[in-house]
Amino acid sequence: MTSHVPDTHVSPVWGDEAPIVADVVGLISRRITRSSDPKTTARTASELAADAGTTITAAGLGSAQALRIFEDVLAPATRAQDDPYNLAYIPAAPTQAARAFDAAVSSFNIFAGTWEAGAGAIFAENEALGWLIDLLGWPSTAGGCFVSGGTMGNLSALVAARSHVRHLRGRDAAGAILCTVDAHSSISAAARVMDVEVVLVDEDDRGHLTGTATRAALAEHPEVFAVVASSGTTNGGVVDDIADLADVCEEFQIWLHVDGAYGGAGLAAPSVRDRFDGIERAHSFVVDPHKWLFAPYDCCALLYRDVTLARAAHAQHASYLDLIDREAWNPADLAIHLSRRARGLPLWFSLAVYGTDRYTEAIERTVATARAIAHAIDECDWLRLLLAPELSVLVFDRPGWSDDDYNRWSSRLAREGLLLCVPTRWKGQTALRLAIVNPATQAQHTIDVLRETTAQQPD
Ligand SMILES: *Cc1c(COP(=O)(O)O)cnc(C)c1O
């Protein structure tokens, strides 16, 4: 018996698509194996319209023309997130293995919302999540799934938190989330979506949320159902006092969510692991492998210490879903989604190929690079280190420069493809910030560029 589907088939509508597939596969492999161009950058929609022409037509452009427009016009109008000297925001440095496998995941077109449709893929995603669960020191009750990003992960975790605390304490007892002003903007976005308040607590002078400040605030705000600790903050890379916050959350019987979208990868780096002490007692956690775990967009690992609490909050019920085996491991039951691609597979593949030791080595290398750059800034007469890296983000300034100087310097370096570093605010002042997540970033090169371009006022 042979399958009723021939290996290659000609669609009655699309015709023979094999040559198109070959063209796209060629593009994928060219792109993955070539280094990216740091000078690519956004352009206006009218410039793009002029160069791309009309792309959606009744008759279709054909693949050669559509691919040419993408490769020559559209792709160059996007920023190279993986350039080793893109150190702005939180860049990304996916392995070639992970990028290639991301293309493979699309080719399999797996529905990974339910075990029944996506078992093999979900099994592999769970292997990757299992590595993170081990790093967290969580028990066998733990589990989770991959969602698009930290924003969706934080929202899903906080919805589970509210549902759990309401169950314990009643509906009215769950009306606010507690965090600091440096918590990521997605936390206040989640609060708006959930129609709950945010109780903002002052940080200590190094930017941490502490147990003492949290205890004092909770005494005045019984409506808080969750504390959000950052590990670390996006702006400063600072890890809140997780162990003290875990004590306080236990005392007040509220949920502790740790937002490690950027910094959670530090769990795998022995030189910074102690900053995460206490995380074994958190209720939920997110980390974006598309930030510091060498996976491509879009990928967030969302984990719960007791996964049954997530199911209680998130499982969707509908007549056509009633046949779904609720005993099985359905990622759809664990976050705000139903249909989903198996977006954890690029991470799984890369981890499986290289092994976890290589991940530890890659993360440690970025931490060492951040420390070396910070040290050189500290030694430089005209630069001032404002925040040494706790993980791999550092903040500094150039005393004597105005906001305009910073902007001109930053634009010039970006234009020349030398370094992408954009101004931020630190303790009310304009400052510069570097985020190192790419093992290919060389400390010495970064230091040379910084010293050479900041000695004088920018022109
Ligand atoms: C980036 C980031 C987020 C948001 O993640 P997305 O993947 O961009 O949605 C949330 N929290 C922290 C700490 C982050 O750094």
Side-chain angles (χ1 to χ4, degrees):
M1 281 290 286
T2 53
S3 150
H4 65 281
V5 182
D7 273 352
T8 52
H9 59 283
V10 176
S11 158
V13 177
W14 317 120
D16 180 6
E17 296 189 83
I20 305 176
V21 174
D23 285 351
V24 175
V25 169
L27 170 66
I28 292 170
S29 102
R30 276 200 303 287
R31 177 63 190 91
I32 291 175
T33 50
R34 167 188 86 194
S35 55
S36 50
D37 174 1
K39 293 190 192 126
T40 62
T41 188
R43 303 171 64 200
T44 64
S46 52
E47 286 168 343
L48 290 172
D51 285 357
T54 303
T55 60
I56 306 299
T57 61
L61 301 182
S63 75
Q65 171 74 344
L67 277 177
R68 190 198 62 72
I69 293 171
F70 181 75
E71 230 184 328
D72 295 352
V73 180
L74 305 178
T78 62
R79 188 194 301 133
Q81 290 297 91
D82 51 334
D83 183 79
Y85 299 98
N86 173 351
L87 308 178
Y89 312 103
I90 306 282
T95 63
Q96 292 191 16
R99 289 163 65 181
F101 207 72
D102 198 52
V105 172
S106 295
S107 75
F108 278 81
N109 191 37
I110 297 160
F111 179 96
T114 59
W115 187 264
E116 167 274 321
I122 297 164
F123 174 86
E125 287 189 309
N126 286 346
E127 295 270 293
L129 293 174
W131 173 57
L132 294 170
I133 289 169
D134 282 348
L135 292 173
L136 288 162
W138 282 2
S140 60
T141 52
C145 62
F146 289 93
V147 296
S148 60
T151 299
M152 197 41 102
N154 284 334
L155 175 61
S156 296
L158 290 166
V159 165
R162 176 171 64 180
S163 154
H164 175 60
V165 173
R166 273 185 175 169
H167 185 72
L168 291 178
R169 304 206 313 230
R171 283 191 77 79
D172 298 337
I177 296 163
L178 182 149
C179 60
T180 72
V181 283
D182 266 343
H184 188 265
S185 50
S186 58
I187 303 301
S188 53
R192 282 197 302 280
V193 172
M194 294 166 72
D195 194 20
V196 298
E197 300 297 315
V198 177
V199 172
L200 287 180
V201 174
D202 287 338
E203 317 166 334
D204 70 5
D205 53 7
R206 296 196 54 246
H208 304 101
L209 178 61
T210 65
T212 313
T214 301
R215 184 177 281 107
L218 286 174
E220 288 178 25
H221 292 281
E223 72 280 18
V224 170
F225 62 88
V227 169
V228 176
S230 304
S231 74
T233 56
T234 318
N235 200 28
V238 169
V239 183
D240 290 334
D241 293 349
I242 302 174
D244 292 350
L245 295 171
D247 288 342
V248 176
C249 288
E250 271 161 27
E251 188 181 319
F252 285 82
Q253 285 205 320
I254 55 184
W255 187 286
L256 176 59
H257 173 65
V258 179
D259 178 1
Y262 146 63
L267 285 167
S271 76
V272 293
R273 177 59 181 84
D274 59 353
R275 303 200 191 285
F276 297 83
D277 283 354
I279 204 162
E280 65 283 355
R281 289 184 286 148
H283 294 81
S284 54
F285 168 75
V286 299
V287 58
D288 277 353
H290 67 220
K291 284 179 172 165
W292 198 14
L293 279 176
F294 319 113
Y297 299 106
D298 48 12
C299 187
C300 167
L302 161 64
L303 289 162
Y304 303 90
R305 198 180 57 203
D306 178 354
V307 75
T308 59
L309 303 180
R311 267 191 206 111
H314 289 298
Q316 295 187 28
H317 296 276
S319 45
Y320 56 88
L321 295 177
D322 284 350
L323 285 178
I324 289 176
D325 181 359
R326 296 288 170 181
E327 299 300 305
W329 193 279
N330 301 311
D333 290 342
L334 306 179
I336 303 162
H337 56 198
L338 179 56
S339 298
R340 62 181 290 276
R341 66 191 258 104
R343 60 164 57 79
L345 288 186
L347 172 66
W348 165 78
F349 180 73
S350 187
L351 273 171
V353 168
Y354 294 120
T356 59
D357 285 353
R358 207 83 81 84
Y359 270 65
T360 294
E361 184 188 329
I363 299 162
E364 287 288 13
R365 181 182 284 261
T366 57
V367 169
T369 303
R371 288 179 183 153
I373 296 170
H375 180 71
I377 289 173
D378 210 22
E379 301 273 283
C380 176
D381 291 341
W382 58 89
L383 294 175
R384 179 168 61 176
L385 184 66
L386 298 175
L387 186 70
E390 284 192 15
L391 299 173
S392 68
V393 171
L394 60 106
V395 182
F396 65 105
D397 69 356
R398 167 62 166 93
W401 277 15
S402 65
D403 284 6
D404 191 47
D405 292 330
Y406 284 117
N407 289 334
R408 273 184 304 151
W409 173 83
S410 172
S411 317
R412 194 198 108 205
L413 267 61
R415 227 175 19 250
E416 294 176 4
L418 279 175
L419 186 73
L420 193 66
C421 169
V422 296
T424 184
R425 307 283 296 170
W426 184 253
K427 292 185 190 290
Q429 306 287 312
T430 303
L432 294 169
R433 168 183 171 283
L434 298 173
I436 317 291
V437 297
N438 193 332
T441 306
Q442 302 274 350
Q444 194 54 51
H445 178 80
T446 312
I447 293 161
D448 291 346
V449 170
L450 286 177
R451 289 183 60 100
E452 281 163 26
T453 57
T454 59
Q456 315 292 330
Q457 213 84 355
D459 21 73

